[in-house]
Amino acid sequence: MVDDQLRLVARDDLHRSVGNDPLLGIPYYECYPRLWNGNVDAVRTVVDQGEPLVLNGYRHYCFYGEFSAADIEIRPVFDGASRCTGAMVQVSVLPGCTVYGEMDSARALIDIGKMSVTLAHGVRNPLNAIKGAVVYLKDKYCTDATFAEFADIIDEEICKLDGFITEFLGTSHLEPVREEIQLNDLLERVVKFVSLQADANHVRFDVEYGELPLVMLDSFNFGHAILNIVNNALGAMEAGGSLTMRTNTLLEGGVEMIVVEVADTGSGLRSGGGKRMLGSFPGAGSRKQGKGYGLFITREIVRHHQGKIEITGNHEGGTTVKIMLPAV
């Protein structure tokens, strides 16, 4: 909104600052591209004539790049004496504005950050309760070898998660803790996590491990990235389905790549669905349900390890997720 001197008096857009807005009181054309109607200022025309003006498919060059097009509506603002005291300008950017899309994605990232802090605080108390219960059960059923093995895994993962939350809440930037590991060993832990769930869902879980070189990984985050993929696969299958995890290596552009594949026999994807899932932002939903946060987090973890992820539909039905990491 501008006054009769075309100075900004209010604004609500993606550029908006936090707290006091330093741009208020400045002529709008010093902050935004001037809007032209022929060879005259369109906003000045509306203020002088007191008549609304609509510019459909308006093209102009902004400070960040050229919009493909925008629909712009300029309406006069009147006081109690029916005098025009300014104008309200509404810009509706049409599809094709890359910068607008990037800024919208940035806003979504900020929302995720806010939710993450709330979630981290909320997890703390139940996590401590679970840890106490595991300690009690370990003492009571220590003679059961299978239970003791799973209890040790749970206890270890709780400690890792508690340390992660502590660091997350105490620092502004989390540094990955990378170590040289055998990826097959890490994947075997994931298999142990989900094997009971797969059995309960009557899903067959097969593994095919190839020979892999050692790789530098943040085992905590990468392990959870794989776990997200496996859980998505289990959620997409009915009883009687099968899930297969494979590892191998390949050469791509002269670089040895470690490959992890997770293939399921679930509902599958439509043509191009994998690219849309990877390109969509959290909140768009996933194959059956959910907001897609797990896949988004997995994608970012893989990128942070200089890797890439692909999602494709299988010819016989189902979906394959492939992660490729440089073996260095």
Side-chain angles (χ1 to χ4, degrees):
M1 181 184 291
V2 300
D3 61 15
D4 58 0
Q5 300 301 311
L6 307 189
R7 296 172 298 204
L8 283 171
V9 295
R11 64 193 184 113
D12 182 13
D13 60 16
L14 290 172
H15 301 76
R16 190 169 186 175
S17 307
V18 177
N20 295 330
D21 193 336
L23 300 183
L24 298 185
I26 297 176
Y28 89 89
Y29 46 81
E30 293 184 8
C31 313
Y32 299 93
R34 190 189 289 269
L35 301 176
W36 296 99
N37 183 27
N39 58 356
V40 297
D41 188 302
V43 183
R44 168 53 62 192
T45 299
V46 170
V47 172
D48 290 344
Q49 298 181 0
E51 296 291 337
L53 178 63
V54 176
L55 306 172
N56 289 319
Y58 185 87
R59 293 180 62 85
H60 66 94
Y61 190 82
C62 73
F63 298 126
Y64 301 99
E66 186 179 1
F67 290 135
S68 59
D71 290 338
I72 300 175
E73 183 180 1
I74 309 171
R75 303 190 305 272
V77 176
F78 299 97
D79 62 12
S82 298
R83 291 176 299 196
C84 184
T85 58
M88 177 77 73
V89 181
Q90 180 174 337
V91 179
S92 301
V93 179
L94 302 179
C97 176
T98 302
V99 174
Y100 189 91
E102 290 176 352
M103 295 179 71
D104 202 32
S105 296
R107 182 169 58 183
L109 277 173
I110 293 172
D111 291 339
I112 291 174
K114 293 177 180 177
M115 288 188 293
S116 299
V117 173
T118 302
L119 178 63
H121 277 287
V123 165
R124 258 269 170 79
N125 289 336
L127 193 65
N128 289 332
I130 294 171
K131 184 176 179 65
V134 170
V135 171
Y136 170 78
L137 292 173
K138 282 176 64 177
D139 291 339
K140 188 173 181 65
Y141 300 103
C142 59
T143 57
D144 187 322
T146 301
F147 178 84
E149 180 186 11
F150 277 95
D152 287 339
I153 292 174
I154 294 171
D155 195 24
E156 182 180 349
E157 291 301 313
I158 288 174
C159 290
K160 289 180 180 178
L161 183 56
D162 185 58
F164 178 83
I165 292 173
T166 299
E167 187 177 1
F168 176 79
L169 294 175
T171 63
S172 59
H173 180 67
L174 287 175
E175 289 292 339
V177 180
R178 299 201 182 193
E179 54 186 337
E180 192 176 53
I181 67 169
Q182 171 51 249
L183 184 55
N184 286 339
D185 294 339
L186 175 62
L187 297 180
E188 187 60 26
R189 289 177 63 85
V190 173
V191 172
K192 287 183 179 179
F193 279 144
V194 299
S195 58
L196 295 180
Q197 180 185 349
D199 289 341
N201 293 343
H202 304 289
V203 170
R204 190 177 77 250
F205 199 157
D206 299 320
V207 294
E208 301 173 9
Y209 296 135
E211 284 194 29
L212 303 180
L214 296 177
V215 62
M216 293 295 294
L217 285 179
D218 181 338
S219 59
F220 176 80
N221 282 314
F222 195 82
H224 282 277
I226 298 295
L227 192 59
N228 285 337
I229 294 173
V230 173
N231 283 331
N232 282 346
L234 290 174
M237 288 186 289
E238 304 293 339
S242 66
L243 188 154
T244 304
M245 181 185 294
R246 307 182 185 92
T247 62
N248 54 68
T249 60
L250 60 80
L251 283 177
E252 187 176 85
V255 177
E256 185 180 22
M257 304 291 288
I258 293 177
V259 181
V260 180
E261 287 188 17
V262 178
D264 65 58
T265 58
S267 53
L269 296 170
R270 295 179 179 178
S271 178
K275 290 184 178 180
R276 286 194 295 272
M277 289 173 67
L278 289 174
S280 64
F281 225 75
S286 57
R287 283 186 292 179
K288 290 189 66 175
Q289 59 185 0
K291 295 294 186 181
Y293 290 108
L295 183 58
F296 171 77
I297 292 170
T298 296
R299 184 191 69 185
E300 294 305 302
I301 290 173
V302 172
R303 286 180 175 176
H304 197 67
H305 285 82
Q306 290 77 51
K308 59 182 180 179
I309 181 170
E310 297 176 355
I311 302 178
T312 56
N314 302 332
H315 294 300
E316 64 276 13
T319 303
T320 296
V321 179
K322 180 187 293 184
I323 294 175
M324 289 177 281
L325 300 171
V328 291

